[in-house]
Amino acid sequence: MRQFVVIGHEVPTTPDFPLADLPGGAGRMDLLARSITAALLRSHGLRADVRFRLVLGDAFTLRFEGQELQGLNPDERSTAARVRSALEQREGAIGHQAIETSPGIYLSRRGVEAALRDVAEEGTLLQLHEDGTPIVEHAPPADPVFVLSDHRDFTDEEQALLEELGAERVSLGPDAIHADHAISVVHNYLDTGGYERY
Amino acid sequence: MRQFVVIGHEVPTTPDFPLADLPGGAGRMDLLARSITAALLRSHGLRADVRFRLVLGDAFTLRFEGQELQGLNPDERSTAARVRSALEQREGAIGHQAIETSPGIYLSRRGVEAALRDVAEEGTLLQLHEDGTPIVEHAPPADPVFVLSDHRDFTDEEQALLEELGAERVSLGPDAIHADHAISVVHNYLDTGGYERY
């Protein structure tokens, strides 16, 4: 299974954000929505072998299961509406118990630290970072978990935690690219066995 | 220079489309807007070495010059608004004369055939197609022009014209992916010199 975790630093944790102003009024929800669809969609359908987590600051984690999702559309607005719908149901997420807010989408009260500790138990952490080792230089682990930040850098606390959890820093190229574009590149790298070229 | 051409088959050719329903009411303008930003944006600014053409069926071509663009934001809605604004000024595009509808964006009355003949004079055509030769198998030309279709396949007429113009079919991987995701992959391939791995 391929996993992605995107940490949203300014993303809303309540559902009162405007779908007509995703970049400004919704904490760069445009970028986060594109990251969700880049991770989960092929041209003709879902990527069933993908699990995606959107971490909403220190408050919530929204987990998308590629194998269970239904009707995810590729546009930003309808994807952001799924996030908003999940947040409308946030009272149902109690303790560590996740609530399924629409088919294949689970909301839980897991902030950054809890989410990263969860994924560290599920796979091998790879932090996408422009200063990392070029991704093509070695074969990926069997169970990669790619951790990305949104438009902001990882905080010092996040960086320290990633190091504690043994995350390796890998880079995709010479320049920083948007998180959603990076996810497309990672998929291609894995789809084509790019690592076998060495 | 890197060039991209995306052919929009159902895209509006008048500005009366809704920004709140880009997938349905605006002919998959969501996908086209994402393609524009995937081609032209890095994480921190514009890709100055890129020219992007959006072909609006048989009616217009909208050309984006990376070196001249100003204030292009990464979200679908504001990018679609740029397209809409261009179409509002369509009466100013007369004959073969392009009109600059906002900084670095040029609208002209060039349909699919005219646009493809234009780019064939500017560079070497590469048609992105899942049945093509794997892109990693040879070095790219110095002046690549990647031609993509939107959510629809190329028509028979477009296919015949691409063959006439000597376009080579190249594939990025085993499965069809969305046009915007393909553009991100192409950029990474060129950014990292992926072709030099052979």
Side-chain angles (χ1 to χ4, degrees):
Chain A
M1 166 173 283
R2 300 179 193 175
Q3 294 201 47
F4 297 91
V5 180
V6 177
I7 300 176
H9 290 98
E10 296 172 358
V11 60
T13 54
T14 57
D16 48 359
F17 60 83
L19 294 180
D21 181 19
L22 297 178
R28 293 306 310 278
M29 186 64 75
D30 66 308
L31 171 68
L32 301 171
R34 288 196 303 279
S35 298
I36 293 167
T37 52
L40 289 157
L41 295 180
R42 279 203 185 83
S43 189
H44 306 293
L46 288 158
R47 287 184 180 267
D49 62 335
V50 169
R51 176 178 293 152
F52 178 95
R53 279 178 171 87
L54 172 61
V55 183
L56 297 92
D58 287 326
F60 296 104
T61 291
L62 201 53
R63 177 166 48 85
F64 296 72
E65 297 286 346
Q67 210 152 26
E68 303 170 31
L69 275 171
Q70 286 173 24
L72 183 70
N73 291 318
D75 66 297
E76 290 171 8
R77 186 185 172 101
S78 70
T79 305
R82 291 286 183 106
V83 176
R84 197 166 73 168
S85 165
L87 286 172
E88 282 166 355
Q89 302 172 62
R90 67 194 183 285
E91 302 299 335
I94 299 169
H96 283 191
Q97 195 65 34
I99 178 175
E100 187 168 9
T101 59
S102 54
I105 305 181
Y106 298 86
L107 184 74
S108 62
R109 293 187 184 274
R110 310 286 281 164
V112 175
E113 178 165 359
L116 289 179
R117 291 193 185 281
D118 286 346
V119 290
E121 292 188 3
E122 297 177 13
T124 305
L125 298 191
L126 298 165
Q127 178 189 9
L128 286 183
H129 197 290
E130 54 267 36
D131 296 331
T133 312
I135 193 169
V136 291
E137 290 192 1
H138 44 70
D143 50 2
V145 182
F146 294 92
V147 183
L148 300 87
S149 188
D150 57 0
H151 60 295
R152 302 270 301 273
D153 285 336
F154 291 100
T155 65
D156 290 345
E157 291 74 20
E158 289 159 5
Q159 194 58 62
L161 180 59
L162 285 165
E163 280 165 31
E164 180 200 322
L165 296 172
E168 186 179 356
R169 275 195 185 187
V170 294
S171 85
L172 300 177
D175 293 309
I177 56 177
H178 287 291
D180 56 321
H181 300 160
I183 290 170
S184 294
V185 170
V186 165
H187 268 319
N188 182 258
Y189 163 72
L190 295 171
D191 288 345
T192 60
Y195 47 90
E196 291 174 1
R197 290 177 210 147
Y198 276 85
Chain B
M1 168 175 281
R2 298 178 194 177
Q3 295 200 47
F4 296 91
V5 181
V6 177
I7 300 176
H9 291 99
E10 295 171 357
V11 60
T13 55
T14 56
D16 49 0
F17 60 82
L19 294 180
D21 181 20
L22 298 177
R28 292 306 311 278
M29 186 65 75
D30 65 307
L31 171 68
L32 302 171
R34 288 195 304 278
S35 298
I36 293 167
T37 52
L40 288 157
L41 295 180
R42 281 205 184 81
S43 189
H44 305 294
L46 287 158
R47 288 183 180 266
D49 63 335
V50 170
R51 176 177 295 152
F52 179 95
R53 278 178 172 89
L54 171 62
V55 183
L56 298 91
D58 287 326
F60 296 104
T61 291
L62 201 55
R63 178 166 47 85
F64 295 73
E65 297 287 346
Q67 210 152 29
E68 303 170 31
L69 276 171
Q70 286 173 24
L72 182 71
N73 291 318
D75 66 299
E76 291 170 11
R77 187 186 172 101
S78 70
T79 305
R82 290 286 183 104
V83 177
R84 196 166 75 168
S85 165
L87 287 171
E88 282 167 355
Q89 301 171 62
R90 68 194 183 285
E91 301 299 336
I94 298 169
H96 283 189
Q97 195 65 35
I99 180 176
E100 187 168 10
T101 58
S102 54
I105 305 181
Y106 299 86
L107 184 75
S108 62
R109 293 187 183 275
R110 310 286 281 162
V112 174
E113 178 166 359
L116 289 179
R117 291 193 186 281
D118 287 346
V119 290
E121 292 187 3
E122 296 177 14
T124 304
L125 299 192
L126 299 164
Q127 178 189 9
L128 287 184
H129 197 290
E130 54 267 38
D131 295 331
T133 312
I135 194 169
V136 291
E137 289 192 359
H138 44 71
D143 50 1
V145 182
F146 293 92
V147 184
L148 300 87
S149 188
D150 57 1
H151 60 296
R152 302 268 302 272
D153 284 337
F154 290 101
T155 66
D156 291 345
E157 291 74 22
E158 289 159 5
Q159 194 57 61
L161 180 59
L162 285 164
E163 279 166 30
E164 180 200 323
L165 296 172
E168 186 179 357
R169 275 195 186 187
V170 295
S171 85
L172 300 177
D175 292 309
I177 57 176
H178 287 290
D180 57 319
H181 299 161
I183 290 170
S184 294
V185 170
V186 165
H187 268 319
N188 182 258
Y189 164 71
L190 295 171
D191 288 346
T192 59
Y195 48 90
E196 291 174 3
R197 288 177 210 148
Y198 275 85

